[in-house]
Amino acid sequence: NSKVDPTEGMNLAERIHWQVLHRRKEGIEAMISEIIEERAREMGNTQSEAAVNVLNTVLLPAMKDVGDRFGAGELILPFVLQSAEVMKRAVAHLEGYLEKVEGYTKGKIVLATVFGDVHDIGKNLVNTILSNNGYTVYDLGKQVPLNTILDKAIEVNADAIGLSALLVSTSKQMPLCVKELYKRGLNFPVIVGGAAINRSYGRRILFVDEQTADAKPVPYEHGVFYARDAFEGLEIIDRLTNSPEQRATFIQQIQEEALKERLKKKTGTAGVPTSNTEEHTPSLSVKPALSLPKPPFWGPRVLDRIGIEDVAPCMDLNTL
């Protein structure tokens, strides 16, 4: 019996969406060519205009769907990376239809995993997502010294610097970067992310003073932004590069939130954090349990003997 085609009955746009969501690279280029030609005929446009339409109405919504499902806990990170690779392949093929405007980019981002940290999976995903959305990304790799990051940002006149860290010890490079930017009088917004930090940490390192009880708050006026994942990073970059007015409003909003949190901690009303995880309201996609099972007992118990008759039903005979 032949396998049932899961895309049977779908139109071309829906099939492309399905391929991105389900991490299928096979034939994606041919499908992109076909839908561009189809839309060029239907809309009476050039293939370049049709390609822009396909990017905005098919590919980007597909990747947004991946991001939404990741945020809801329906997809794990390796699946997101694989979907991003399908997207990258599709966009690379689509670019062949676009009329190149020399030097055009939505914005320039310098990206790096901080010095001492060798983890780069999350950073690589950010690179792919931003690149697929029209940004020029200068990915400096992992274990990148602070001066290398700043020198590159100055060289390319970056719109923002993105820093990633997986370890608590290496995340200390982030406030050093912010303080060095302040010291040099540079004006690059900083976006931070990674498993080692949370939103509260991002707000805290916005301030470049000693943060003692009697210290006057001195913020890095160009902003420090925490991104929970690559998709929030994209949202932040979009807001920073959309218009000077929106950028200024966004930076002011972040500064006000950070100052409010700092003052709360100073007066002792913020509470003591119990972990390094970000506090947030439960996702709407997670349904509450209908009932909670009760354990047979609480606390430790010592068993004098465990009978083979108790263990046997739990054994995997195939593995044995």
Side-chain angles (χ1 to χ4, degrees), residues 19 78 88 141 151 170 181 190 209 241 250 260 276 281-282 284:
Q19 294 236 158
K88 195 172 184 178
D151 290 347
T170 58
L181 286 166
V190 179
D209 58 89
T241 58
F250 189 30
K260 184 177 179 181
N276 200 35
T281 55
L284 296 176

Side-chain angles (χ1 to χ4, degrees), residues 7-8 34 52 81 87 92 103 110 122 128 173 187 197 205 210 215 221 234 279 290 297 313:
T7 64
E8 187 177 352
E34 186 179 347
V52 172
L81 291 170
M87 178 75 171
V110 171
T128 301
Q173 291 286 320
N187 61 351
I197 65 171
I205 67 174
E210 294 303 317
E221 61 183 19
L234 172 62
E279 293 182 10
L290 297 176
F297 62 88

